Amino acid sequence: NAGVTQTPKFQVLKTGQSMTLQCAQDMNHEYMSWYRQDPGMGLRLIHYSVGAGITDQGEVPNGYNVSRSTTEDFPLRLLSAAPSQTSVYFCASSWGQGRGYGYTFGSGTRLTVV
Amino acid sequence: GEDVEQSLFLSVREGDSSVINCTYTDSSSTYLYWYKQEPGAGLQLLTYIFSNMDMKQDQRLTVLLNKKDKHLSLRIADTQTGDSAIYFCAGDLNAGNNRKLIWGLGTSLAVNP
């Protein structure tokens, strides 16, 4: 199984550009989420989804949009990139909302906004 | 609010045991997790413990939970250079119908030959 696949692995954007970070999982997981990881800040939740057609905001949603049209895919859109969005982005998925399942993480997208 | 705290760095010699500590504030966490992140990679679930347990052992890994002190630890026996990574503690917070994990900032483990 591929698990959670994120593309691209690296990206450089100019301020004001938009782009979509792709995330796909082949484990039929209901729950999917996007995190950003910054030095000294740990992991911060951007958006999450508990199933196809359902999304909700995490703790740092501003400047990002998501959609969940299928169980497999959960793309993250940067609307107008800013230097503050320079970060490593991780997509993670899990079976339902039950406890103890743990998350499966993708390998990350390293984004630099100049 | 909810918080999970970890020491930021730990250095051990190869073959020694490593103990990574974590404290948490939310007593309603039903599951507590340990994740490992190797350089340039995503996080990998190592193990978890349910809140009604005191200890869980899985090969070289031992998790201890002290609910009274809200303290969680991960012991790695016979630490190897391949164990060098960042280790994250996380608590599963009951937030109504939504699942929410509270993450520590991670402990960077350096294993010296």
Side-chain angles (χ1 to χ4, degrees):
Chain A
N1 285 342
V4 176
T5 302
Q6 288 185 239
T7 56
K9 292 191 183 303
F10 301 94
Q11 183 71 50
V12 178
L13 286 180
K14 293 183 179 178
T15 298
Q17 287 185 316
S18 62
M19 78 160 294
T20 299
L21 279 64
Q22 301 291 344
C23 175
Q25 53 91 9
D26 62 358
M27 298 168 286
N28 204 29
H29 283 174
E30 291 182 357
Y31 182 92
M32 297 185 74
S33 56
W34 278 101
Y35 284 91
R36 59 178 291 173
Q37 185 178 34
D38 302 290
M41 303 289 287
L43 287 165
R44 292 184 291 171
L45 182 64
I46 304 171
H47 285 285
Y48 65 95
S49 168
V50 298
I54 306 169
T55 63
D56 208 344
Q57 297 180 350
E59 55 184 305
V60 289
N62 291 341
Y64 307 95
N65 274 354
V66 291
S67 60
R68 185 93 180 271
S69 56
T70 67
T71 300
E72 295 78 19
D73 300 300
F74 191 45
L76 178 72
R77 297 183 188 84
L78 278 70
L79 308 173
S80 177
S84 61
Q85 294 179 303
T86 294
S87 186
V88 181
Y89 291 85
F90 289 102
C91 179
S93 71
S94 175
W95 292 107
Q97 296 181 59
R99 313 296 187 198
Y101 293 126
Y103 289 179
T104 301
F105 279 80
S107 57
T109 295
R110 186 173 296 273
L111 176 68
T112 302
V113 182
V114 298
Chain B
E2 316 91 9
D3 197 15
V4 173
E5 293 189 356
Q6 302 177 238
S7 53
L8 294 182
F9 301 101
L10 177 65
S11 180
V12 300
R13 285 194 304 183
E14 189 174 16
D16 289 349
S17 291
S18 307
V19 179
I20 302 170
N21 295 303
C22 171
T23 57
Y24 59 97
T25 58
D26 177 50
S27 59
S28 70
S29 291
T30 50
Y31 285 89
L32 293 147
Y33 304 85
W34 284 103
Y35 284 82
K36 176 184 180 182
Q37 184 181 29
E38 296 181 358
L43 281 73
Q44 172 193 1
L45 178 64
L46 280 181
T47 187
Y48 66 90
I49 189 166
F50 187 51
S51 59
N52 70 349
M53 300 168 66
D54 297 323
M55 185 182 82
K56 181 178 180 181
Q57 188 153 2
D58 184 2
Q59 299 182 336
R60 293 191 297 121
L61 304 179
T62 301
V63 179
L64 296 177
L65 176 60
N66 182 327
K67 291 182 287 293
K68 174 175 172 292
D69 295 336
K70 298 180 184 176
H71 182 265
L72 182 74
S73 68
L74 174 69
R75 179 178 180 270
I76 305 172
D78 186 25
T79 312
Q80 302 298 308
T81 54
D83 295 322
S84 294
I86 302 175
Y87 292 81
F88 290 90
C89 168
D92 205 336
L93 175 66
N94 182 2
N97 290 325
N98 297 321
R99 187 178 181 197
K100 183 178 179 182
L101 283 184
I102 305 299
W103 295 87
L105 294 184
T107 299
S108 180
L109 173 65
V111 181
N112 305 307

